[in-house]
């Protein structure tokens, strides 16, 4: 085996010598002047030599790698005689190693043949730290090792022997856990443990810092050559086994490496003394060290490191840790940790651009630039692909949603068209059988829904309570042929239910005051049912109209079906909504009302003017259908020029109900108004109608109107629209109308409730003079019956408006608003039709309760409320035989009373308080006060009806009741929101005007 190694070493030396000769020949060619030899020949020869040199170098490296990685396999041990090997015993002497029995004859008999070897010889091969290992390897294998044991022995003798816990081998750790930081941490821990460990007597400590020698156990004889390499790397004392305990001898690190050599410019000088000493010392494990050394050289060449000092022990330890295979390059940090100047080299390696200063730096730079550019191009392409993919997905999803939306929209349109056709068919049957239905027993389903637009509904505070202001519809059960199913938008408490049962029983003949709570009995001849849709709990804050809530309440719909099964029934709704058709179609009953589209068209301010003009009813000067600011200015200038006697102009938003969407502006603030008025008086009425005279005034108005509106226009209801800017924005977006305010100081508004029967008749159900609250364009109550317009004039206006509505397919309940005043020029009474609501009004609901409590009826021809009086006594039979006497009564209806402090009292406490102050209803005299309660939660709104023999008494009673209630629930320092004070003041002003009117009549 030794001869083979010797010959292979000679062959390697020959290859290295050939490589050196080629290098010298190349250098010689470079010294030849260019004049003596052509440049082309020199370049070709230089290229050939370079190619040959590179080829020889690669072959030499491959050969040396093959030689160094060859495993030296010892002959197998056969027929080992059974011998008793004496177990070595450890003695506490200065010698590190246990005393072994020397069997020289066994070693001498061991040769290169297949003769059996002694166990001691085998142990010497596996224990490179043994003192006899060097001699045995030299005799048997021809390998000469340096005599390093004497040095180690002297070092060991000079240092104290430290006994401590076993230390884990650094070389045995995984690759990912081995780095310089852990090595320093272990060094610090070992140094800290030195103070706790016990020293063995007989040794002295000469150095300030100790070195921990990692000493593993000696592997068994059956271990592979890989374990031999591990054992050769580490030097120290063998492990000593005592029972089940393992003791290892450790010492401290030495500051300077024993096997240190340098790498200059990324290349190792193989003839350097330190390197040769290192290679000879670790020749048995050189196969794994060569890989690590080659990687280190390549790393240093790549980064142009001028000088690197390598620690041989760290290199061997690192190579042993990475002995499992070099499929991947070792980490740079771990590889540089084997250097003594690792921090300096690491700083140089990590400096920007250092890689491109080393070997093949230009090629690496080119490759890096190309890879970055290709990565950028690929990234852009990938991003473009992702964007296109995202766009394709978005387009596909949008298209699917669009097609699905189209299908849903078409399905909804088809369903609504079918519902509309069913509504028309049922409306025709209702018109054909109306007389029969009115004369027979019937069920009326009252749904007081307000089908406002979504924007309007979301801006209304307490929308559910607003829809419940018509609970007095229950009073329609005064007709013995009528049963009422009332759909309530809120959950009512037991107190409200008991109150209405008591009030309805009182109207049926019970002799008790309005404040007493009578328990309802099942013997009630005229029953009513109050239902609340279950969807109210599902949509508490969405302000949905009542028909929409009922549409999404299947249990309530099912119960209504059961209640009306086999009976004549129809629906009386509120402001029409498209969901009314769905509810009617689900229940299979007709609706006493117009189609939603027709109702939305003619219930606007502009639409009702068309009805009035078609009915030839006098309307205030104005124009509807205004949607732009320019159109508003031109229309207003023209109207002001044509009507110079009008002192105030009104601006009304089309879909807004009542006076919420009304603004006004007085012409007295217009600077040119007096000039135009003087010119009007000079010209006279005949000449003023010519366009030439009006043109100059019109131009002057157009110049000043924009600034005039900005400064002096005011919304009537500031809670809805705080300023003119917000009002005009809504006005132009939804459309509106401009109208003149009556040119008089005394204006009375009259509300008339009509029933447009499907059979074609127009019936007046209620009429009353409005009571104004804080807003002069919004009514909070009325006095019934009205006394401002002559009954014949009122009947004529109502008949004409009703017939035009029937021609436009408007049926059901209609509320007509009129304005009456005295013309200052002709001293005649004028009546203007100002508004039309196609729904069941709040005044009509209060009138139903009034008629229920008094048992009377409105006589529209005489303009009185006729109340029958049942006189008990001797002439009772004769009274019944002849006729019941009728007496006139006057009433004040207030359906929109509001006070924030009412929430502090429960309804039962409130009624007891009123009864204590004498506020109640006398069923015998048909006079007194009746309340209308709307909700059990907030309890801030209520209604009140006062009945008296004359109008003055009813107004005084109404104001007196408000004053008492306000005094009981308010204090001087309390802040409340209420309309009680304004209403009391307006009633007092009304009474004063009536007194002045009465006084002026005799004088006239």
């Amino acid at each position: 085996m030794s001869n083979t190694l010797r010959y292979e070493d000679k062959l390697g030396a020959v290859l290295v010598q050939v490589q050196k000769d080629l290098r010298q020949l190349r250098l010689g060619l470079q010294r030849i002047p260019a004049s003596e030899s052509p440049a082309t020949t020199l370049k070709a020869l230089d290229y050939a030599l370079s190619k040959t040199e590179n080829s020889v170098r690669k072959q030499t490296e491959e050969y040396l790698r093959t030689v160094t990685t060859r495993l030296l396999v010892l002959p197998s041990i056969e027929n080992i005689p059974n011998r008793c090997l004496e177990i070595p015993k450890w003695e506490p002497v200065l010698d590190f190693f246990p005393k072994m029995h020397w069997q020289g004859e066994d070693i001498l008999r061991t040769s290169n043949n297949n003769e059996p070897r002694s166990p001691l010889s085998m142990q010497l091969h596996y224990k490179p730290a043994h003192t006899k290992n060097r001699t045995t390897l030299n005799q048997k294998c021809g390998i000469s090792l340096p005599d390093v044991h004497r040095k180690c022995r002297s070092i060991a003798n000079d240092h104290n022997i430290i006994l401590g816990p076993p230390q884990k081998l650094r070389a045995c750790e995984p690759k990912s856990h081995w780095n310089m930081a852990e090595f320093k941490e272990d060094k610090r821990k070992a140094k800290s443990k030195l103070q706790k460990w016990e020293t063995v007597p007989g040794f002295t400590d000469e150095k300030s810092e100790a070195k921990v020698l990692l000493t593993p156990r000696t592997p068994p004889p059956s271990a592979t050559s890989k374990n031999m390499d591990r054992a050769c790397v580490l030097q120290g004392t063998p492990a000593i086994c005592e029972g089940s305990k393992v003791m290892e001898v450790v010492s401290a690190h030495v500051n300077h490496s024993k096997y240190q050599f340098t790498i200059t410019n990324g290349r190792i000088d193989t003839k350097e003394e330190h390197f040769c000493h290192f290679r000879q010392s670790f020749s048995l494990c050189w196969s794994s060290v060569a890989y690590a050394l080659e990687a280190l050289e390549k790393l240093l060449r790549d980064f142009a490191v001028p000088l690197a000092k390598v620690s041989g022990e760290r290199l061997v330890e690192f190579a042993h840790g990475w002995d499992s295979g070099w499929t991947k390059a070792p980490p740079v940090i771990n590889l540089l940790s084997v250097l003594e100047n690792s921090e300096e080299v690491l700083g140089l390696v990590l400096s920007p651009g250092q890689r491109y200063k080393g070997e093949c730096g230009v090629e690496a730079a080119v490759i890096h630039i190309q890879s970055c550019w290709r990565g950028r191009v690929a990234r852009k392409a990938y991003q473009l692909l992702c964007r296109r993919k995202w766009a394709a997905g978005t387009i596909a999803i949008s298209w699917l949603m669009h097609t699905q939306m189209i299908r849903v929209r078409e399905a909804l349109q088809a369903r609504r068209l079918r519902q509309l056709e069913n509504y028309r068919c049922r409306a025709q049957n209702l018109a054909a059988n109306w007389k029969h239905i009115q004369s027979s027993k019937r069920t009326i389903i009252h749904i007081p829904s307000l089908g406002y637009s979504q924007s309007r509904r979301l801006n209304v505070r307490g929308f559910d309570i607003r829809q419940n202001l018509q609970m007095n519809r229950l009073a329609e059960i005064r007709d013995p042929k009528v049963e009422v199913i009332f759909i309530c938008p809120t959950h009512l408490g037991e107190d409200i239910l008991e109150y209405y049962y008591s009030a309805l029983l009182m109207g049926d003949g019970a002799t008790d005051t309005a404040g007493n709570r009578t328990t309802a009995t099942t013997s009630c001849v005229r029953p009513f049912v109050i239902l609340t849709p279950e969807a109210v709990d599902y949509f508490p804050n969405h302000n949905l109209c009542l028909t929409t809530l009922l549409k999404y309440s299947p249990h309530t719909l099912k119960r209504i079906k059961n209640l009306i099964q086999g009976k004549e029934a129809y629906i009386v709704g509120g402001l029409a909504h498209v969901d009314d058709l769905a509810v009617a179609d689900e229940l299979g009953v007709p609706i006493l009302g117009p189609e939603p589209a027709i109702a939305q068209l003619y219930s606007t301010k502009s639409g009702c003017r068309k009805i009035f003009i078609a009915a030839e009813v006098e309307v205030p000067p104005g124009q509807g259908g205004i949607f732009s600011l320019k159109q508003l200015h031109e229309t207003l200038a023209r109207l002001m020029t044509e009507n110079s006697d009008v002192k105030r102009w009104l601006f009304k938003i089309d879909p807004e109900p009542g006076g919420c969407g009304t603004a006004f502006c007085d012409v007295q603030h217009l600077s040119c108004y007096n000039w135009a008025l003087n010119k009007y008086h000079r010209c006279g009425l005949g000449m003023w109608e010519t366009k030439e005279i009006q043109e100059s005034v019109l131009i002057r108005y157009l110049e000043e109107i924009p600034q005039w509106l900005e400064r002096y226009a005011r919304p009537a209801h500031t809670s809805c629209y705080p300023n003119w800017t917000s009002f005009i924005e809504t006005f132009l977006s939804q459309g509106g109308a401009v109208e003149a305010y009556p040119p008089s100081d005394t204006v009375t508004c009259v509300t008339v409730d009509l029933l447009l029967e499907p059979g074609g008749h127009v019936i007046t159900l209620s009429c009353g003079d409005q009571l104004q609250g804080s807003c002069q364009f919004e009514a909070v109550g009325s006095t019934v019956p009205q006394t401002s317009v002559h009954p014949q004039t009122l009947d004529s206006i109502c008949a004409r408006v009703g017939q035009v509505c029937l021609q436009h397919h408007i049926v059901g309940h209609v509320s007509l608003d009129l304005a009456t005043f005295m013309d200052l020029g002709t001293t005649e009474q004028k009546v203007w039709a100002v508004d039309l609501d196609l729904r069941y009004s709040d005044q009509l609901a209060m009138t139903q309760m009034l008629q229920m409590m008094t048992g009377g009826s409105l006589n529209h021809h005489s303009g009185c409320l006729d109340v029958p009086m049942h006189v008990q006594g001797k002439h009772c039979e004769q009274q019944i035989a002849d006729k019941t006497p009728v007496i006139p009564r006057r009433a004040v209806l207030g359906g929109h009373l509001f006070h924030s402090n009412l929430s502090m009292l429960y309804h039962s406490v409130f009624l007891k308080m009123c009864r204590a102050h004498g506020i109640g209803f006398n069923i015998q005299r048909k006079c007194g006060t009746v309340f209308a309660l709307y909700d059990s939660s907030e309890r801030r709104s209520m209604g009140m009806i006062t009945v008296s023999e004359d109008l003055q008494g009813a107004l005084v009673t109404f104001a007196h009741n408000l004053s008492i209630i306000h005094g009981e629930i308010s204090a001087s320092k309390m802040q409340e929101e209420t309309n009680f004070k304004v209403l009391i003041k307006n009633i007092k002003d009304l009474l004063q005007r009536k007194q002045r009117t009465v006084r002026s009549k005799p004088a006239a």
Side-chain angles (χ1 to χ4, degrees):
M1 183 181 298
S2 61
N3 296 333
T4 305
L5 291 174
R6 190 178 299 111
Y7 296 150
E8 290 175 352
D9 292 342
K10 292 181 179 180
L11 181 58
V14 171
L15 291 174
V16 171
Q17 186 64 32
V18 171
Q19 186 177 355
K20 291 182 178 179
D21 294 342
L22 289 174
R23 190 180 297 110
Q24 292 178 359
L25 179 59
R26 184 179 178 184
L27 293 175
L29 291 175
Q30 291 178 357
R31 298 190 187 97
I32 299 176
S35 58
E36 298 180 4
S37 177
T40 305
T41 305
L42 290 177
K43 287 183 180 181
L45 186 58
D46 185 28
Y47 176 74
L49 289 176
S50 299
K51 186 175 180 181
T52 304
E53 183 181 357
N54 291 335
S55 178
V56 172
R57 185 177 66 254
K58 290 181 180 179
Q59 294 298 330
T60 303
E61 291 176 355
E62 291 293 335
Y63 170 74
L64 293 177
R65 186 182 296 108
T66 303
V67 172
T68 55
T69 56
R70 180 176 298 174
L71 296 179
L72 303 178
V73 183
L74 297 176
S76 60
I77 302 173
E78 298 178 358
N79 300 326
I80 298 177
N82 296 330
R83 299 177 182 178
C84 295
L85 184 63
E86 184 179 355
I87 299 176
K89 295 182 180 180
W90 179 79
E91 296 180 2
V93 294
L94 295 179
D95 194 359
F96 266 11
F97 304 100
K99 293 183 180 181
M100 305 296 294
H101 178 68
W102 175 251
Q103 298 179 0
E105 61 276 10
D106 294 336
I107 299 176
L108 295 176
R109 286 198 305 266
T110 305
S111 59
N112 293 334
N113 53 14
N114 295 331
E115 295 180 3
R117 300 176 181 175
S118 65
L120 178 59
S121 177
M122 296 301 299
Q123 290 182 10
L124 293 178
H125 283 292
Y126 283 100
K127 295 181 180 180
H130 199 274
T131 54
K132 302 299 182 179
N133 178 270
R134 178 172 175 272
T135 306
T136 305
L137 291 178
N138 188 18
Q139 293 178 356
K140 303 299 181 181
C141 302
I143 299 175
S144 299
L145 297 179
D147 190 6
V148 298
H149 300 290
R150 184 175 302 172
K151 300 178 182 180
C152 296
R153 182 68 170 271
S154 62
I155 294 173
N157 291 335
D158 294 337
H159 288 77
N160 294 336
I161 301 301
I162 307 299
L163 298 179
Q167 298 294 319
K168 186 176 179 180
L169 291 176
R170 297 295 301 176
C172 298
E173 292 185 3
K175 304 174 185 181
S176 60
H177 296 283
W178 195 96
N179 52 34
M180 195 64 185
E182 293 184 1
F183 180 83
K184 293 181 178 180
E185 181 67 17
D186 291 342
K187 182 178 179 180
R188 185 186 62 80
K189 291 181 180 180
K191 184 176 180 181
S192 64
K193 291 180 180 180
L194 289 175
Q195 301 175 359
K196 300 181 181 180
W197 290 348
E198 297 178 356
T199 58
V200 179
F203 292 89
T204 58
D205 188 5
E206 297 180 357
K207 297 187 178 181
S208 61
E209 184 177 1
K211 174 183 178 182
V212 179
L213 297 179
L214 306 178
T215 57
R217 301 179 187 178
T218 302
S222 59
T224 59
S225 60
K226 179 178 179 179
N227 293 331
M228 287 179 57
D229 294 340
R230 291 186 182 179
C232 293
V233 173
L234 305 173
Q235 298 180 10
T237 59
I240 301 173
C241 300
E242 294 182 1
S244 61
K245 297 182 179 180
V246 178
M247 300 180 62
E248 295 184 0
V249 181
V250 293
S251 61
H253 273 296
V254 179
N255 289 334
H256 301 284
S257 175
K258 182 179 177 181
Y259 302 100
Q260 180 179 346
F261 57 94
T262 59
I263 301 179
T264 305
N265 296 326
R267 299 189 181 278
I268 301 174
D269 188 1
T270 56
K271 295 183 178 181
E272 186 184 2
E273 179 183 359
H274 298 287
F275 179 74
C276 294
H277 177 63
F278 167 70
R279 181 171 182 176
Q280 187 177 9
S281 300
F282 297 95
S283 59
L284 292 180
C285 57
W286 189 254
S287 59
S288 58
V289 176
Y291 286 113
L293 195 57
E294 182 180 357
L296 181 60
E297 286 184 295
K298 188 176 185 307
L299 177 64
L300 297 177
R301 288 197 303 272
D302 291 344
F303 288 91
V305 178
L307 179 64
K309 299 177 181 180
V310 183
S311 174
E313 291 86 343
R314 298 182 194 174
L315 180 62
V316 172
E317 188 177 359
F318 176 79
H320 185 74
W322 285 81
D323 195 28
S324 58
W326 293 92
T327 56
K328 294 183 179 179
V332 177
I333 303 297
N334 294 354
L335 190 58
L336 294 179
S337 64
V338 304
L339 302 179
E340 293 290 344
N341 58 340
S342 58
E343 296 181 359
E344 179 183 354
V345 174
L346 183 61
L348 185 63
V349 169
L350 296 179
S351 60
Q354 185 65 25
R355 170 64 185 90
Y356 311 116
K357 298 179 181 178
E359 187 178 28
C360 302
V362 178
E363 296 179 1
V366 171
I367 293 173
H368 183 71
I369 293 173
Q370 289 181 351
S371 62
C372 292
W373 174 254
R374 291 173 182 173
R376 183 174 181 273
V377 173
R379 185 165 53 255
K380 280 190 174 181
Y382 178 72
Q383 292 176 353
L384 180 61
L385 177 63
C386 290
R387 286 196 297 268
R388 290 179 177 178
K389 187 177 180 180
W390 172 82
T394 303
I395 293 172
I397 294 175
S398 301
W399 174 252
L400 292 176
M401 293 180 64
H402 176 69
T403 55
Q404 182 67 17
M405 188 68 69
I406 290 177
R407 288 193 295 268
V408 172
R409 187 180 294 112
E410 291 177 353
L412 289 176
Q413 290 177 354
R415 180 183 298 178
R416 290 175 179 174
L417 182 61
R418 184 176 63 255
Q419 293 171 356
L420 182 60
E421 293 176 355
N422 295 338
Y423 161 81
R424 292 173 178 172
C425 293
R426 297 190 188 98
Q428 293 178 0
N429 295 333
L430 182 66
N433 302 323
W434 179 251
K435 292 184 178 180
H436 171 71
I437 293 173
Q438 288 295 103
S439 61
S440 61
K441 193 171 184 179
R442 61 194 181 275
T443 301
I444 303 178
I445 305 172
H446 282 282
I447 308 176
S449 175
L450 297 178
Y452 298 149
S453 61
Q454 183 179 3
S455 58
R456 171 63 180 163
R457 284 187 278 108
L458 293 176
N459 292 328
V460 176
R461 178 185 175 186
F463 185 70
D464 53 346
I465 301 175
R466 184 75 175 271
Q467 293 184 111
N468 203 36
L469 295 181
Q470 298 182 3
M471 272 202 69
N472 292 320
R473 291 191 189 190
L474 295 171
E476 288 194 13
I477 64 173
R478 73 180 188 278
D479 188 348
K481 298 179 181 180
V482 174
E483 295 180 357
V484 174
I485 299 176
F486 184 79
I487 309 300
C488 182
T490 61
H491 293 286
L492 299 179
E494 292 295 331
D495 51 353
I496 294 183
L497 296 178
E498 291 181 5
Y499 174 78
Y500 275 101
Y501 275 118
S502 174
L504 295 177
L505 286 175
M506 184 187 306
D508 195 29
T511 58
D512 199 354
T513 60
N516 292 338
R517 293 167 55 185
T518 304
T519 305
T521 61
T522 57
S523 62
C524 184
V525 182
R526 304 173 187 86
F528 61 90
V529 180
I530 300 177
L531 300 177
T532 302
E534 64 268 18
V536 172
D537 300 328
Y538 305 149
F539 307 99
N541 301 320
H542 293 73
N543 284 6
L544 298 179
C545 63
L546 188 55
T547 52
T548 304
L549 294 174
L550 184 59
K551 175 184 176 182
Y552 297 113
S553 302
H555 297 289
T556 306
L557 292 174
K558 184 177 180 180
R559 187 175 179 185
I560 295 174
K561 287 182 181 179
N562 295 334
L563 291 174
I564 66 175
Q565 187 174 5
K567 300 179 182 179
E568 295 288 346
Y570 58 89
I571 295 176
V572 177
L575 186 61
H577 191 267
V578 67
D579 288 335
D580 295 350
L581 304 180
V583 172
D585 193 61
E586 182 69 22
L587 297 176
V589 295
I591 300 176
L592 184 61
E595 297 180 9
I598 295 176
Q600 292 177 3
L601 175 62
Y602 292 107
S603 61
T604 61
K605 309 302 179 182
S606 302
C608 66
R609 287 182 61 87
K610 298 178 182 179
I611 297 292
F612 297 150
I613 294 173
E616 298 180 354
V617 178
E618 191 173 1
V619 295
Q623 182 178 341
I626 298 176
F627 291 91
S628 65
L629 193 60
K630 180 181 179 180
Q631 184 183 5
L632 174 64
H633 294 164
E634 293 176 353
T635 302
L636 187 58
R638 179 177 57 81
L639 292 174
M640 292 174 62
T641 304
E642 295 174 355
N643 304 273
S644 299
D645 57 337
V646 177
K647 298 181 180 180
R648 173 176 289 183
W649 292 92
L650 305 179
F651 309 92
K652 298 181 179 180
I653 300 176
D654 272 340
E656 290 287 350
C660 295
T662 304
F664 63 92
C665 192
D666 297 330
V667 296
Q668 62 183 1
H669 301 292
L670 199 62
S671 60
C672 64
Y673 174 71
N674 293 328
W675 169 79
L677 190 61
N678 293 332
K679 190 173 183 179
Y680 168 74
H681 290 304
R682 287 196 308 268
C683 297
L685 183 61
M687 296 181 59
W688 184 256
E689 294 180 356
T690 59
K691 294 183 178 180
E692 291 78 5
I693 297 177
Q694 294 181 358
E695 185 176 1
S696 59
V697 178
L698 180 65
I699 295 174
R700 185 77 176 270
Y701 278 154
L702 282 175
E703 293 177 354
E704 297 186 8
I705 279 178
Q707 187 177 2
W708 171 63
L709 291 177
E710 289 291 337
R711 293 184 60 184
Y712 299 104
R714 296 291 183 271
H717 209 294
T718 55
S719 61
C720 298
Y721 301 98
N723 48 46
W724 169 254
T725 304
S726 59
F727 177 86
I728 195 63
E729 182 180 354
T730 307
F731 181 91
L732 298 178
S733 62
Q734 299 183 6
V738 178
E739 291 182 357
Y741 186 78
S744 176
D745 296 335
T746 304
V747 179
T748 303
C749 295
V750 181
T751 301
V752 184
D753 293 302
L754 306 176
L755 175 59
L756 308 181
E757 293 184 344
H761 297 284
V762 180
I763 300 176
T764 303
L765 299 179
S766 175
C767 60
D769 297 331
Q770 293 182 2
L771 288 177
Q772 308 297 333
S774 58
C775 177
Q776 58 179 338
F777 302 103
E778 185 177 11
V780 296
S782 60
T783 60
V784 177
Q786 64 86 26
T787 57
S788 301
V789 183
H790 195 275
Q792 294 181 356
T793 305
L794 188 64
D795 288 343
S796 175
I797 294 175
C798 293
R800 281 181 288 173
V801 172
Q803 291 299 327
V804 173
C805 289
L806 289 173
Q807 293 174 7
H808 288 81
H809 306 285
I810 299 174
V811 295
H813 295 276
V814 173
S815 179
L816 175 64
D817 288 344
L818 305 173
T820 177
F821 60 97
M822 296 299 296
D823 189 358
L824 299 178
T826 60
T827 65
E828 294 181 357
Q829 184 182 20
K830 284 190 176 183
V831 180
W832 286 354
V834 294
D835 200 3
L836 183 67
D837 289 334
L838 307 182
R839 66 185 184 95
Y840 200 106
S841 69
D842 299 338
Q843 175 182 283
L844 180 57
M846 297 293 289
T847 304
Q848 297 289 356
M849 177 59 74
L850 171 64
Q851 294 178 354
M852 179 72 183
M853 297 303 298
T854 59
S857 60
L858 289 175
N859 189 347
H860 304 287
H861 299 286
S862 61
C864 296
L865 175 63
D866 297 334
V867 177
M869 292 296 294
H870 299 279
V871 181
Q872 297 180 358
K874 301 179 181 180
H875 306 287
C876 182
E877 296 179 358
Q878 184 179 358
Q879 174 184 339
I880 297 175
D882 297 341
K883 193 175 182 181
T884 304
V886 177
I887 59 175
R889 287 287 184 266
R890 300 286 179 175
V892 178
L893 312 179
H896 298 270
L897 303 180
F898 178 83
H899 203 297
S900 58
N901 292 345
L902 283 173
S903 60
M904 298 187 301
L905 300 178
Y906 288 101
H907 292 310
S908 58
V909 179
F910 172 77
L911 295 176
K912 289 180 180 179
M913 179 191 71
C914 293
R915 186 168 61 249
H917 287 277
I919 301 175
F921 190 79
N922 191 333
I923 195 64
Q924 295 180 354
R925 297 180 60 248
K926 306 295 182 181
C927 294
T929 304
V930 180
F931 293 102
L933 307 179
Y934 301 139
D935 70 300
S936 300
S937 57
E938 294 186 2
R939 301 188 303 275
R940 296 183 177 183
S941 301
M942 71 172 187
M944 185 171 63
I945 303 173
T946 57
V947 184
S948 183
E949 297 177 357
D950 55 1
L951 181 58
Q952 183 176 358
L955 288 172
V956 170
T957 303
F958 196 90
H960 177 70
N961 293 344
L962 290 181
S963 179
I964 290 176
I965 295 172
H966 177 72
E968 288 292 333
I969 64 178
S970 300
S972 59
K973 296 183 179 180
M974 293 183 64
Q975 296 181 357
E976 67 273 346
E977 296 179 10
T978 180
N979 58 0
F980 283 16
K981 298 178 181 180
V982 177
L983 192 55
I984 293 173
K985 180 179 178 298
N986 292 340
I987 291 175
K988 289 181 179 180
D989 295 341
L990 179 61
L991 290 174
Q992 292 176 1
R993 286 199 305 268
K994 288 186 176 296
Q995 290 178 0
R996 287 195 299 267
T997 304
V998 171
R999 291 174 183 175
S1000 62
K1001 285 183 178 180

